[in-house]
Amino acid sequence: MAVPVAFFAVFFAYPVTAIVGRGLKPDGSWHWGRFGDVLSRPDIGQVLWFTTWQATLSTALTLLIALPGAYVFARFEFPGKQLLRAVVTVPFVLPTVVVGTAFLALLGRGGLLDELWGVRADMTVWAILLAHVFFNYAVVVRTVGGLWAQLDPRQEEAARVLGAGRLAAWWRVTLPALGPAVAAAALMVFLFTFTSFGIVQIVGGPAYSTLEVEIYRQTAQLLDLPTAAVLTMVQFAAVGGILALHAWTVRRRETALKLVDPAQTVRRPRGAAQWALLAGVLGTVLLLILLPLGVLIERSLDGPGGYGFDYYRALRSVEASGGTFLVPPLEAVWNSLRYALAATVIALVVGGLAAAALTRRAGRLVRGFDALLMLPLGVSAVTVGFGFLITLDKPPLDLRASWILVPLAQALVGVPFVVRVMLPVLRAVDGRLREAAAVLGASPSRVWREVDLPMVRRAVLVAAGFAFAVSLGEFGATVFIARPDRPTLPVAVARLLGRPGDLNYGQAMALSTVLMVVCAVSLLVLERIRTDRSGEF
């Protein structure tokens, strides 16, 4: 646990604490009264209210739309199922900047709705909610569907034999069994939407502000660190509560049920109702997921002289960006790939050691350590990025001019995914195998190399893929620390969208398409090498 604890202490706790200290302890003494001053402001009250109710509504809509998909993927066998499963998961690994850009191409000025019916739906709450459902659809499908596929269908069939109707049997038998998975999925969706940043900024515009967006505005635009510190602490407390509830639901899901092999529960659809349900889910995937991504690709090819690669060719020129960049925007592709590879290596080392430590010990200390590893998913990335600038500026950690600063920030987001992927596999390794190897004279390092590693090799590859994808799309912290001459893809897209002109807009669509393709290819490769298809990710 030493390396992960040191990593999180230096590159997570220290920057966040420094930002809070700058805001609440400017003269050496704590000013706790600022909590009341900030939280009593009407504008901050509106931000807190909007953050909470849009996250609640986003979660409810996601559950309503995605639960039928979870059932279809859990119970039905049909041609192209694995490919469709990968397609459904693509939005989850897409950067929020790409998601926002895709919905801008669908709902915004000059978008598909604007061209067909003269209607613009960007800069509205409904655009934000729809983008959140798009982004989190896979969370429900894979979290709930992973458990649903392992529930014994004979329990519900027994209730039907005893006289219960189809709906009553589902309500009284299946839904209670699915309760922990539904709760876990709902909490994760609420967490992601509660801390939403890129989607609200791009699709919602300046009229809407979540806590994360407001922290960015107070920090980067108004330089009001006291207000930013108070909002950071509020978000930290909310996220801590959500993660504690999530950990409790996960423990219930792991211990409450006797599960069966998913291969025993899937079958081809039977009857008109089941085929209609399958068709409805396919239609939802088409309209909710494929349509926005397709419109994004179409807009990237719709140049001033007709369809072609004009916007892609413009990415090679500094002049075409109108002074937005010091280097050609295309260099952002190579910068992002290099940064993401370095972040993946860091995340694998830190996350792999953390997962190994969690399999060796138990107790409250380890549970607390496990919760610590999840905090970067919910704590303000804006705070972390700005904290990097004001803390890592003195020897021996003067990293502000170093390229490694960006991968370190990206790795903070990648580590939780590495731990979540590797931990179940490591826990599944029979401890008696390690003991037998030790009795035969193998050292601990050789036991790991010859017993554990062959069993977890594929899990390591999957963890690396997820860490690479999420590092590639990290935006909240990177927007502060990426150098002007070395922008990343999400930062480059955001800068292009922030400048007027069709050429900048087209280049943003082209860069977003490139980023989407890289993430989608990474995910398709993961689906090919993943061995356990019954779980979540």
Side-chain angles (χ1 to χ4, degrees), residues 387-394 397-405 481-483:
F388 270 33
L389 290 182
I390 67 172
T391 56
L392 304 180
D393 61 342
K394 297 176 182 178
L397 286 174
D398 186 2
L399 302 176
R400 286 188 302 175
S402 173
W403 66 272
I404 197 64
L405 200 61
I481 57 180
R483 292 171 50 176

Side-chain angles (χ1 to χ4, degrees), residues 242-300:
I242 295 169
L243 290 176
L245 282 174
H246 181 264
W248 178 69
T249 59
V250 168
R251 287 196 297 272
R252 284 189 60 200
R253 182 179 54 183
E254 290 176 346
T255 60
L257 300 168
K258 182 179 180 181
L259 305 178
V260 299
D261 184 355
Q264 301 175 10
T265 65
V266 296
R267 52 178 172 75
R268 292 181 63 83
R270 300 171 185 169
Q274 293 187 356
W275 282 106
L277 178 61
L278 176 58
V281 170
L282 294 177
T284 300
V285 172
L286 176 64
L287 293 176
L288 179 66
I289 296 177
L290 295 180
L291 180 60
L293 299 181
V295 172
L296 174 64
I297 297 172
E298 187 269 338
R299 287 293 181 267
S300 74

Side-chain angles (χ1 to χ4, degrees), residues 274-343:
Q274 293 187 356
W275 282 106
L277 178 61
L278 176 58
V281 170
L282 294 177
T284 300
V285 172
L286 176 64
L287 293 176
L288 179 66
I289 296 177
L290 295 180
L291 180 60
L293 299 181
V295 172
L296 174 64
I297 297 172
E298 187 269 338
R299 287 293 181 267
S300 74
L301 297 172
D302 188 9
Y307 286 102
F309 295 94
D310 294 343
Y311 291 139
Y312 290 89
R313 283 191 286 267
L315 295 175
R316 297 181 296 181
S317 169
V318 177
E319 292 76 15
S321 65
T324 305
F325 301 101
L326 301 178
V327 295
L330 191 61
E331 286 198 16
V333 178
W334 314 119
N335 293 335
S336 288
L337 292 175
R338 288 194 291 265
Y339 288 147
L341 286 173

